[in-house]
Amino acid sequence: MVAVSTLILFAVLFSSTLVVMFIWLYLMICTLRSLKTSPKLELFPKESKKLGLCDSPSRVSIIIPARNEEGHIRKCLESLLKQDYLNIEIVAVNDSSSDRTREVIQEYSNLTRPGIPIILVDAQDKPDGWSGKNWACYQGYMRASGDLLLFLDADTVLLSSCTISTAVAYFEENNLDALTVRPKLLCQDTWAKITLPMLSTLLHVRRMQQINNPLNRTSGYLFGCFYLITRQIYEAIGTHRAVKGEIIEDAAIGRRIRNQNYLLRAVIGDHCIESIFRGRWNVLQRIVVPRYHKRKTTTILATMGVFFLTLYPFILLPLSFTSLLYLNGDDNDLLLHSLAVTIELLSIAIIISTSIIQLKFSIFESLIYALASPVAGTIISLGFIIYIIDARINDTLVSWRDRKYTTV
């Protein structure tokens, strides 16, 4: 009876490890496919010059919501003033900053730059029901005059002088309604470098293909640090007013674009744009808490799935090795346990290899951080668990940029 129970337990553990291995193999293949097939913005600078779109009649209003960004917005504005696209205006919105953000914007707005006005907007007090960033973006839109609206985060830096002209060229050449660019993400600390490869794989690996699939009308998404949209379409989807209470507003706007059947495309711009990855716990809070209050059961199941995928092979491997040491010499037992250890090692190898791919071709950090995959899995799993508990205790509150929001 004991032998039968042991065999059943072994079968369950072995089959579950196989499932994990095949899921990670699938994620690794998707990662490679995404890197290979996703359109890249940096492939088009010659076309933009050839088309003469530096002098395009389309006026671009660049809207930058900024809250306590004195350490970043100067670099952002400097990179914008170096652009070769001539028909632009910069609308920088000070969102009730308590640091010197407003003074930095004011300093640049006072500079004489031919053809590139910098407009300082002090956002009015945020009305109830609005998130801060949505309100700031909406205030910027109200002051903008362009045919095209380019929303940037204040910590975004354009790495090439032809980034905007290239984006507009690609936008107009493909008759798009909206274009979003995945940037190079800068990790500010070691924890971000450890967790970002796994987070990118779990959350974003299939997103580029989904966004660019014209038959998929439910997976719209925008990279909030850089997206270009026509004023007409922005108004047609209801502007930021339509998603005023959303905390992850870029995803909400992307869904509205796709739901209304407008043409949205996502491209990779690692060599054109960089932005800062805010790899703190509250990034997971923004994801978990709203989902939990909308779909409790699926969020709990997703948390279990994250734990299972990210930590299960690492937990099981030492247990399997230990059991090998205490086998009584039965050849069948030795074969089965050796096979189990092999599958677990393969699973771990695929997890680490996927992180290496992300670090090498997408995140551009040292490959050594891939070896910390079990640490990344622990941090991410704990984040999901902690914020589900937090959502139950604190009801609907989410903290973001020194503000607290309800998620219902």
Side-chain angles (χ1 to χ4, degrees):
M1 188 70 171
V2 174
V4 173
S5 299
T6 303
L7 187 61
I8 292 173
L9 177 61
F10 177 83
V12 170
L13 294 177
F14 180 76
S15 59
S16 57
T17 308
L18 268 178
V19 170
V20 170
M21 185 187 74
F22 282 117
I23 290 175
W24 273 105
L25 184 60
Y26 169 75
L27 291 173
M28 185 173 71
I29 292 171
C30 286
T31 300
L32 290 168
R33 184 183 300 152
S34 177
L35 290 168
K36 182 179 180 180
T37 62
S38 295
K40 296 175 175 58
L41 189 64
E42 59 263 29
L43 297 180
F44 293 90
K46 291 182 180 178
E47 281 81 348
S48 70
K49 298 287 188 180
K50 181 178 67 177
L51 293 173
L53 287 173
C54 297
D55 302 307
S56 169
S58 298
R59 184 165 180 78
V60 177
S61 293
I62 304 169
I63 299 172
I64 311 171
R67 178 174 172 83
N68 297 332
E69 293 284 3
E70 66 171 323
H72 302 116
I73 195 167
R74 188 180 298 274
K75 285 185 177 181
C76 176
L77 293 174
E78 284 288 347
S79 72
L80 292 175
L81 292 172
K82 295 175 182 175
Q83 294 301 298
D84 61 7
Y85 193 93
L86 302 179
N87 196 6
I88 65 173
E89 66 176 2
I90 301 169
V91 183
V93 184
N94 172 42
D95 181 17
S96 303
S97 299
S98 58
D99 64 1
R100 295 190 66 257
T101 296
R102 187 186 190 282
E103 285 77 1
V104 173
I105 299 172
Q106 183 71 65
E107 172 190 335
Y108 277 85
S109 67
N110 290 336
L111 296 176
T112 302
R113 302 288 176 122
I116 307 180
I118 300 178
I119 303 167
L120 167 63
V121 176
D122 286 307
Q124 302 171 22
D125 291 339
K126 180 180 72 67
D128 292 339
W130 283 78
S131 76
K133 184 177 180 181
N134 288 335
W135 178 242
C137 287
Y138 184 73
Q139 294 284 293
Y141 151 71
M142 295 294 287
R143 290 289 301 274
S145 62
D147 311 304
L148 296 175
L149 305 178
L150 173 58
F151 290 90
L152 291 186
D153 283 345
D155 57 10
T156 297
V157 175
L158 307 187
L159 303 176
S160 167
S161 62
C162 64
T163 297
I164 292 179
S165 57
T166 300
V168 173
Y170 188 86
F171 188 95
E172 296 189 349
E173 184 179 0
N174 291 278
N175 296 314
L176 301 179
D177 297 311
L179 171 71
T180 188
V181 181
R182 194 194 76 183
K184 174 184 178 182
L185 289 175
L186 301 180
C187 299
Q188 292 184 300
D189 53 45
T190 301
W191 297 114
K193 295 172 185 178
I194 288 172
T195 56
L196 184 56
M198 191 171 283
L199 272 176
S200 295
T201 301
L202 294 174
L203 299 178
H204 299 300
V205 70
R206 295 186 66 243
R207 187 157 279 166
M208 296 289 286
Q209 287 93 336
Q210 291 172 338
I211 296 172
N212 293 326
N213 180 359
L215 301 178
N216 190 335
R217 296 182 59 185
T218 61
S219 297
Y221 185 85
L222 299 173
F223 296 99
C225 58
F226 189 109
Y227 61 94
L228 185 67
I229 185 170
T230 69
R231 174 183 287 272
Q232 179 182 1
I233 301 304
Y234 178 69
E235 292 172 347
I237 64 171
T239 73
H240 276 80
R241 178 180 290 277
V243 297
K244 62 182 181 180
E246 294 283 351
I247 299 171
I248 308 178
E249 81 295 330
D250 40 16
I253 291 175
R255 286 194 300 270
R256 293 185 71 84
I257 293 171
R258 292 305 297 271
N259 289 341
Q260 297 185 38
N261 209 29
Y262 294 119
L263 186 55
L264 165 66
R265 185 167 296 176
V267 298
I268 296 175
D270 296 333
H271 297 92
C272 297
I273 302 163
E274 68 180 18
S275 191
I276 294 174
F277 172 62
R278 311 270 177 153
R280 302 292 188 269
W281 283 96
N282 54 6
V283 172
L284 289 175
Q285 186 187 39
R286 292 175 71 207
I287 297 171
V288 175
V289 174
R291 287 179 180 270
Y292 176 79
H293 286 294
K294 291 177 181 177
R295 297 181 292 273
K296 289 183 174 62
T297 302
T298 56
T299 305
I300 292 172
L301 290 174
T303 301
M304 294 170 61
V306 167
F307 177 85
F308 182 71
L309 281 176
T310 60
L311 289 179
Y312 187 70
F314 296 103
I315 293 172
L316 208 57
L317 183 62
L319 298 177
S320 297
F321 268 123
T322 303
S323 67
L324 274 174
L325 298 176
Y326 290 97
L327 288 177
N328 58 12
D330 186 293
D331 289 342
N332 289 329
D333 281 350
L334 181 62
L335 178 62
L336 290 174
H337 281 77
S338 298
L339 184 58
V341 169
T342 301
I343 296 299
E344 289 154 15
L345 286 171
L346 281 172
S347 299
I348 291 171
I350 294 171
I351 292 171
I352 292 174
S353 297
T354 305
S355 292
I356 287 174
I357 293 168
Q358 291 281 6
L359 287 163
K360 175 70 174 177
F361 299 106
S362 182
I363 302 172
F364 308 105
E365 292 288 351
S366 171
L367 305 187
I368 197 71
Y369 292 108
L371 297 179
S373 293
V375 178
T378 302
I379 293 171
I380 294 168
S381 297
L382 282 176
F384 271 77
I385 293 168
I386 287 170
Y387 283 121
I388 282 180
I389 296 172
D390 183 60
R392 293 178 66 88
I393 294 174
N394 295 321
D395 194 22
T396 59
L397 289 180
V398 172
S399 299
W400 186 249
R401 296 297 182 92
D402 304 319
R403 287 173 169 144
K404 291 186 179 295
Y405 302 102
T406 58
T407 60
V408 215

